[in-house]
Amino acid sequence: MLATAVAVVSVLVGGLLAAVALTGHVFGAWISPESLTPGLIGAAMLGTAPGLFAVARARAWHEARTLVHPQAVVLVGLFTVSLLNAGHLYIARGGSIIPVLFSLGWLFVLGVLCVCALIALAWQHFTPAQPLGPRVAPLPGWSKPALAVLGSAWLGIGTGLLARPGFWADFVPWSVNRPDAQALGVWALALGIGVLGALAEDDLGRTGSALIALPGTAVTMTVVLVFRAAAVDWSSGPALCLVAMIAGLLLAGASGRVLLTKSAPQSRH
């Protein structure tokens, strides 16, 4: 139920942020110097929504945790970043009624979902574990080093943007302020946890929802980057790294879906 609720919110809010960003206008819970950052946050929300809807079909916790844990990181992280940078929020700065109300709703909805996510995770982890059963579709050996590099890259960049936004913000190839950098860091951290979590599970059958979310996120982020390409310094190293990391998400998710589909008939024999 929680994953479905977050998915619905992600479609509505993420779709709004991404759509406004495509027009070149800045809209979000806080004041941003460039529309690309709220657009990418919205794109990530929109891209992960199909995977969150798929969590409802999971029959056991181990089939959902590779996406539920990153989801909790996003909810808690964005809520914390919003509180730490409360002075940047429209509700504190003032302005026209629409962004002020959006800022207020952002805080309220994030706060409620954050509390619900923590309660759900605590309940799940205190519940006696059930036997997992054998792995039906282990990850191929050739994929593990690539997944380790991809997950570590997203995890490292996310940690840097969260812990030292003043320093790491200079490596973002477009204009960002402190809350922008930390919000992007939350999403990068969650993506890294998701990829490394899938690597730890070592079973495509346990990562079905994540395999939907990864390529979805890559596609929606690519659309926003293409439409707002003029805002990005494409000649910089960080821009090339970002392209490679987004392509890595797409390849990881798409190849995982193909391998999972091929392994399904074999697992029934």
Short mmCIF file of all heavy atoms in Angstrom, two decimals, residues 21 24-27 31-39 174-177 180 228-232:
data_model
loop_
_atom_site.label_atom_id
_atom_site.label_comp_id
_atom_site.label_asym_id
_atom_site.label_seq_id
_atom_site.Cartn_x
_atom_site.Cartn_y
_atom_site.Cartn_z
N ALA A 21 9.52 21.82 -16.20
CA ALA A 21 10.93 21.98 -16.55
C ALA A 21 11.15 21.93 -18.05
O ALA A 21 12.03 22.63 -18.59
CB ALA A 21 11.78 20.92 -15.86
N GLY A 24 11.09 25.15 -19.66
CA GLY A 24 12.14 26.09 -19.29
C GLY A 24 11.83 26.93 -18.08
O GLY A 24 12.65 27.77 -17.68
N HIS A 25 10.68 26.72 -17.45
CA HIS A 25 10.31 27.48 -16.27
C HIS A 25 10.78 26.76 -15.01
O HIS A 25 10.85 25.54 -14.97
CB HIS A 25 8.81 27.70 -16.21
CG HIS A 25 8.29 28.57 -17.31
ND1 HIS A 25 7.93 28.09 -18.55
CD2 HIS A 25 8.07 29.92 -17.36
CE1 HIS A 25 7.51 29.07 -19.32
NE2 HIS A 25 7.59 30.20 -18.62
N VAL A 26 11.11 27.54 -13.99
CA VAL A 26 11.57 27.00 -12.71
C VAL A 26 10.37 26.85 -11.79
O VAL A 26 9.63 27.80 -11.53
CB VAL A 26 12.61 27.92 -12.05
CG1 VAL A 26 13.06 27.34 -10.71
CG2 VAL A 26 13.81 28.10 -12.97
N PHE A 27 10.15 25.63 -11.30
CA PHE A 27 9.05 25.37 -10.38
C PHE A 27 9.44 24.23 -9.45
O PHE A 27 9.95 23.20 -9.90
CB PHE A 27 7.77 24.98 -11.14
CG PHE A 27 6.59 24.72 -10.26
CD1 PHE A 27 5.92 25.76 -9.66
CD2 PHE A 27 6.17 23.42 -10.00
CE1 PHE A 27 4.83 25.52 -8.82
CE2 PHE A 27 5.09 23.16 -9.18
CZ PHE A 27 4.42 24.22 -8.59
N ILE A 31 13.55 27.65 -4.16
CA ILE A 31 14.03 28.50 -5.25
C ILE A 31 15.28 27.87 -5.85
O ILE A 31 16.26 27.63 -5.16
CB ILE A 31 14.33 29.92 -4.74
CG1 ILE A 31 13.05 30.53 -4.16
CG2 ILE A 31 14.90 30.78 -5.83
CD1 ILE A 31 13.27 31.85 -3.44
N SER A 32 15.26 27.59 -7.14
CA SER A 32 16.39 26.99 -7.85
C SER A 32 16.88 27.95 -8.92
O SER A 32 16.07 28.67 -9.53
CB SER A 32 15.98 25.66 -8.51
OG SER A 32 15.58 24.72 -7.53
N PRO A 33 18.19 27.98 -9.19
CA PRO A 33 18.71 28.87 -10.22
C PRO A 33 18.44 28.40 -11.64
O PRO A 33 18.60 29.17 -12.59
CB PRO A 33 20.21 28.90 -9.93
CG PRO A 33 20.49 27.61 -9.24
CD PRO A 33 19.26 27.29 -8.45
N GLU A 34 18.07 27.14 -11.81
CA GLU A 34 17.89 26.56 -13.15
C GLU A 34 16.78 25.51 -13.09
O GLU A 34 16.65 24.77 -12.12
CB GLU A 34 19.21 25.94 -13.62
CG GLU A 34 19.15 25.02 -14.80
CD GLU A 34 18.58 25.68 -16.05
OE1 GLU A 34 19.03 26.78 -16.36
OE2 GLU A 34 17.69 25.09 -16.67
N SER A 35 15.97 25.45 -14.13
CA SER A 35 14.82 24.53 -14.14
C SER A 35 15.23 23.06 -14.27
O SER A 35 14.42 22.17 -14.01
CB SER A 35 13.88 24.88 -15.30
OG SER A 35 14.53 24.67 -16.56
N LEU A 36 16.48 22.80 -14.63
CA LEU A 36 16.91 21.43 -14.87
C LEU A 36 16.87 20.57 -13.61
O LEU A 36 16.48 19.40 -13.65
CB LEU A 36 18.32 21.43 -15.46
CG LEU A 36 18.91 20.07 -15.87
CD1 LEU A 36 17.97 19.35 -16.82
CD2 LEU A 36 20.27 20.27 -16.52
N THR A 37 17.26 21.14 -12.46
CA THR A 37 17.29 20.35 -11.23
C THR A 37 15.89 19.88 -10.80
O THR A 37 15.70 18.67 -10.61
CB THR A 37 17.95 21.13 -10.09
OG1 THR A 37 19.32 21.37 -10.44
CG2 THR A 37 17.91 20.34 -8.79
N PRO A 38 14.90 20.77 -10.65
CA PRO A 38 13.56 20.24 -10.31
C PRO A 38 13.01 19.32 -11.40
O PRO A 38 12.26 18.39 -11.11
CB PRO A 38 12.70 21.50 -10.14
CG PRO A 38 13.45 22.60 -10.78
CD PRO A 38 14.89 22.24 -10.66
N GLY A 39 13.41 19.56 -12.65
CA GLY A 39 12.98 18.68 -13.73
C GLY A 39 13.53 17.28 -13.58
O GLY A 39 12.82 16.29 -13.79
N TRP A 174 25.66 22.11 -14.37
CA TRP A 174 24.71 23.21 -14.57
C TRP A 174 24.59 23.94 -13.24
O TRP A 174 25.10 23.49 -12.21
CB TRP A 174 23.36 22.70 -15.06
CG TRP A 174 22.64 21.75 -14.15
CD1 TRP A 174 21.82 22.06 -13.11
CD2 TRP A 174 22.71 20.33 -14.20
NE1 TRP A 174 21.36 20.93 -12.50
CE2 TRP A 174 21.88 19.85 -13.15
CE3 TRP A 174 23.36 19.39 -15.01
CZ2 TRP A 174 21.72 18.49 -12.90
CZ3 TRP A 174 23.19 18.05 -14.76
CH2 TRP A 174 22.38 17.61 -13.72
N SER A 175 23.91 25.06 -13.22
CA SER A 175 23.82 25.88 -12.01
C SER A 175 22.93 25.23 -10.96
O SER A 175 21.77 24.90 -11.24
CB SER A 175 23.28 27.28 -12.36
OG SER A 175 24.14 27.95 -13.25
N VAL A 176 23.46 25.06 -9.76
CA VAL A 176 22.69 24.52 -8.64
C VAL A 176 23.02 25.31 -7.39
O VAL A 176 24.08 25.90 -7.26
CB VAL A 176 22.99 23.02 -8.40
CG1 VAL A 176 22.56 22.17 -9.58
CG2 VAL A 176 24.47 22.79 -8.10
N ASN A 177 22.09 25.31 -6.44
CA ASN A 177 22.36 25.84 -5.12
C ASN A 177 22.42 24.69 -4.12
O ASN A 177 22.41 23.52 -4.51
CB ASN A 177 21.30 26.88 -4.72
CG ASN A 177 19.88 26.33 -4.81
OD1 ASN A 177 19.68 25.12 -4.84
ND2 ASN A 177 18.90 27.22 -4.85
N ASP A 180 19.43 22.20 -4.13
CA ASP A 180 19.48 21.46 -5.39
C ASP A 180 20.50 20.33 -5.31
O ASP A 180 20.22 19.17 -5.66
CB ASP A 180 19.87 22.39 -6.55
CG ASP A 180 18.73 23.26 -7.02
OD1 ASP A 180 17.58 22.98 -6.65
OD2 ASP A 180 18.99 24.21 -7.76
N ARG A 228 16.45 20.29 -22.00
CA ARG A 228 17.16 21.37 -21.32
C ARG A 228 18.66 21.29 -21.57
O ARG A 228 19.47 21.69 -20.75
CB ARG A 228 16.89 21.31 -19.81
CG ARG A 228 15.42 21.44 -19.42
CD ARG A 228 14.84 22.79 -19.87
NE ARG A 228 15.61 23.88 -19.30
CZ ARG A 228 15.84 25.03 -19.94
NH1 ARG A 228 15.36 25.23 -21.15
NH2 ARG A 228 16.54 25.97 -19.36
N ALA A 229 19.03 20.78 -22.74
CA ALA A 229 20.45 20.56 -23.07
C ALA A 229 21.26 21.85 -23.04
O ALA A 229 22.45 21.84 -22.73
CB ALA A 229 20.57 19.91 -24.45
N ALA A 230 20.63 22.98 -23.35
CA ALA A 230 21.35 24.25 -23.39
C ALA A 230 21.87 24.66 -22.01
O ALA A 230 22.82 25.45 -21.92
CB ALA A 230 20.43 25.35 -23.94
N ALA A 231 21.28 24.13 -20.95
CA ALA A 231 21.70 24.51 -19.60
C ALA A 231 22.90 23.71 -19.12
O ALA A 231 23.48 24.03 -18.08
CB ALA A 231 20.54 24.33 -18.63
N VAL A 232 23.28 22.66 -19.86
CA VAL A 232 24.34 21.74 -19.42
C VAL A 232 25.65 22.07 -20.12
O VAL A 232 25.68 22.33 -21.32
CB VAL A 232 23.95 20.28 -19.71
CG1 VAL A 232 25.03 19.32 -19.21
CG2 VAL A 232 22.61 19.95 -19.06
#
